[in-house]
C-alpha cells in the first residue's frame, strides 16, 4: 500500500492543492461580483469595509499561488491563518448550530493548510521546478 501511495504522491499532492485553492479563488470571485455586499458584511462583523480590496487580492493571490505550487509553504501558512481568523470572526455565534459547523469546517481547513505548509507542494509544482519543493 505504501508503495502504491508513493507512486500517487505527485498526482494527489496536485489534486489536494487544486481542491484547497478552489475555495479561495471562488471566494475571491464572489467578492469581485459584489464589492459593496462584501464590504457591508465585513462592517457587520466589526471590521472596516476598506479591507474588501486587500481581502479580495489575498483570496485570489494565495489561491492561485497554491494552485500552481509557488511559495507553497508560506502561502499555506497564510491561508491557515486566514481560514482560522475568518472562521472565528464569521462564525463565533454558537447559539446558531450552523455557526458551529461552519467554524469546525474552517478549523479543518486550517489543519489542511498547515499540512501543506509542513509537507510542501509536491513534485508537480513551481516550487519543485525551482528546487523549493518539500
Amino acid at each position: 500500500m505504501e508503495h502504491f501511495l508513493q507512486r500517487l504522491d505527485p498526482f494527489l499532492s496536485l489534486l489536494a492543492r487544486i481542491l484547497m485553492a478552489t475555495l479561495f479563488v471562488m471566494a475571491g470571485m464572489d467578492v469581485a461580483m459584489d464589492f459593496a455586499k462584501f464590504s457591508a458584511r465585513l462592517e457587520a462583523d466589526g471590521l472596516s469595509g476598506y479591507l474588501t480590496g486587500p481581502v479580495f487580492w489575498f483570496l485570489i493571490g494565495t489561491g492561485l499561488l497554491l494552485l500552481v505550487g509557488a511559495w507553497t509553504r508560506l502561502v499555506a501558512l497564510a491561508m491557515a491563518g486566514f481560514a482560522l481568523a475568518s472562521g472565528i470572526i464569521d462564525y463565533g455565534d454558537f447559539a446558531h448550530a450552523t455557526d458551529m459547523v461552519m467554524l469546525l469546517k474552517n478549523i479543518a481547513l486550517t489543519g489542511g493548510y498547515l499540512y501543506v505548509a509542513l509537507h510542501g507542494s509536491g513534485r508537480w509544482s513551481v516550487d519543485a521546478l525551482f528546487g523549493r519543493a518539500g
Side-chain angles (χ1 to χ4, degrees):
M1 181 65 143
E2 184 72 25
H3 179 68
F4 174 70
L5 290 175
Q6 285 177 347
R7 290 181 57 201
L8 288 178
D9 183 74
F11 171 74
L12 293 177
S13 293
L14 174 61
L15 180 60
R17 286 196 338 265
I18 290 169
L19 295 172
M20 295 173 82
T22 299
L23 176 68
F24 273 58
V25 172
M26 296 297 290
M29 290 172 47
D30 188 51
V31 171
M33 295 298 163
D34 196 342
F35 264 69
K37 178 182 170 186
F38 187 77
S39 181
R41 193 167 148 215
L42 286 176
E43 290 172 355
D45 288 335
L47 300 170
S48 171
Y50 291 115
L51 291 174
T52 301
V55 167
F56 164 75
W57 287 112
F58 179 84
L59 292 168
I60 295 294
T62 57
L64 293 175
L65 287 170
L66 185 68
L67 182 69
V68 299
W71 297 287
T72 306
R73 292 175 186 265
L74 180 62
V75 167
L77 279 175
M79 293 170 98
F82 185 89
L84 186 59
S86 65
I88 291 168
I89 291 168
D90 283 343
Y91 309 117
D93 184 3
F94 300 135
H96 295 75
T98 304
D99 274 17
M100 178 58 87
V101 171
M102 295 303 284
L103 177 60
L104 290 172
K105 175 220 24 136
N106 276 53
I107 290 169
L109 286 167
T110 299
Y113 292 122
L114 289 174
Y115 195 84
V116 172
L118 178 64
H119 292 281
S121 59
R123 281 186 279 174
W124 296 348
S125 67
V126 171
D127 286 342
L129 185 65
F130 290 103
R132 297 187 304 245

